[in-house]
Amino acid sequence: MVKRKTCIFISGQGSNLKNLIFRSRDKNFPITISLVISNNKNALGIEYAKKYNIPYTYINTSCKNYENKILLNLKKYKISFICLAGFMKIISSTLINNYQGKIINIHPSLLPKFKGLNTFSRMLKNKEKNAGCTVHYVNKKLDSGNTIVQKKFTINRKDNEKILKKKTQKLEYLAFPEAIIKIFRNN
Ligand code: GAR
């Protein structure tokens, strides 16, 4: 099996990155992680890249030509697939045009509900019955591309934001690899 050279974009903790690193060690898993890009110099997730000898780079997304820097890095490592794993910056159209249908994102809500930030506080405020996560293709509209995998759970009366995040992330560790397998199953 030819594994797709993949770049994971992160901004923070990197627990989804860690999960994907472990999953991608399986010879039957369709991707290999060839690069990690972080837009946060202090992202904890960078430590996983270091620990598992994966090339990584910090990109300052406030810089004018940051998109070119990203594209140059993606070219250098022959990246053909991109996973946004807690990347807290809206992806530019330049990148989307260059990687049409090749960028996926994980979002901590049952899209199309609760696009954007602060999903858990808004869910609680809205007295939602269910929460969950969605893996979807990235297009030019925020959190609006086609869904690949969605997983949900019932919100418990006692759940607060912290608990919702924990329960959601537990499902994310299943949903992200599942979505990647689904995408490449017939390719
Ligand atoms: C994940 O829970 C992901 O759903 C969320 O950030 C977290 C990153 O965690 N993404 C978004 O909110 C995107 N809008 P991690 O860094 O531990 O993988």
Side-chain angles (χ1 to χ4, degrees):
M1 171 194 242
V2 183
K3 285 175 171 254
R4 274 74 177 181
K5 289 182 193 289
T6 298
C7 177
I8 314 288
F9 283 50
I10 61 163
S11 298
Q13 211 189 338
S15 66
N16 278 286
L17 166 66
K18 182 184 173 200
N19 180 50
L20 290 176
I21 291 173
F22 282 113
R23 291 302 303 267
S24 64
R25 285 172 162 182
D26 180 338
K27 68 173 173 27
N28 294 316
F29 197 68
I31 64 164
T32 180
I33 301 172
S34 305
L35 179 64
V36 171
I37 287 181
S38 172
N39 69 334
N40 170 7
K41 222 189 276 181
N42 304 313
L44 278 176
I46 291 177
E47 296 308 314
Y48 295 120
K50 287 183 188 163
K51 189 169 172 190
Y52 297 103
N53 288 318
I54 298 166
Y56 62 90
T57 184
Y58 159 66
I59 301 279
N60 182 349
T61 42
S62 319
C63 278
K64 225 171 67 191
N65 62 346
Y66 85 91
E67 293 172 341
N68 285 337
K69 281 192 182 155
I70 290 182
L71 284 171
L72 280 174
N73 273 285
L74 297 175
K75 208 170 160 194
K76 180 174 166 194
Y77 289 95
K78 300 188 169 51
I79 300 299
S80 64
F81 189 63
I82 294 171
C83 296
L84 309 182
F87 188 62
M88 305 311 266
K89 164 96 188 165
I90 293 173
I91 285 287
S92 70
S93 54
T94 314
L95 198 55
I96 294 174
N97 289 339
N98 276 272
Y99 281 84
Q100 202 71 255
K102 305 256 163 52
I103 310 176
I104 65 171
N105 177 45
I106 188 141
H107 185 76
S109 81
L110 298 169
L111 290 174
K113 283 185 161 183
F114 305 104
K115 296 173 183 178
L117 299 175
N118 308 315
T119 51
F120 305 123
S121 62
R122 288 189 283 145
M123 276 175 209
L124 292 173
K125 210 170 154 198
N126 238 33
K127 301 204 183 321
E128 289 294 309
K129 284 199 174 72
N130 299 308
C133 65
T134 307
V135 183
H136 65 94
Y137 285 104
V138 172
N139 63 15
K140 288 178 188 170
K141 274 172 117 189
L142 179 68
D143 297 330
S144 297
N146 288 343
T147 293
I148 307 154
V149 169
Q150 190 163 67
K151 291 198 181 285
K152 73 172 177 186
F153 63 93
T154 308
I155 298 177
N156 196 299
R157 230 173 357 104
K158 289 182 193 147
D159 287 351
N160 55 28
E161 282 185 46
K162 207 174 152 196
I163 296 174
L164 284 183
K165 181 174 175 180
K166 211 170 167 190
K167 288 182 176 176
T168 302
Q169 288 202 319
K170 213 171 153 193
L171 289 184
E172 290 185 345
Y173 307 146
L174 300 173
F176 222 160
E178 201 175 303
I180 293 168
I181 290 169
K182 195 171 166 186
I183 290 169
F184 294 112
R185 195 167 41 199
N186 303 316
N187 290 354

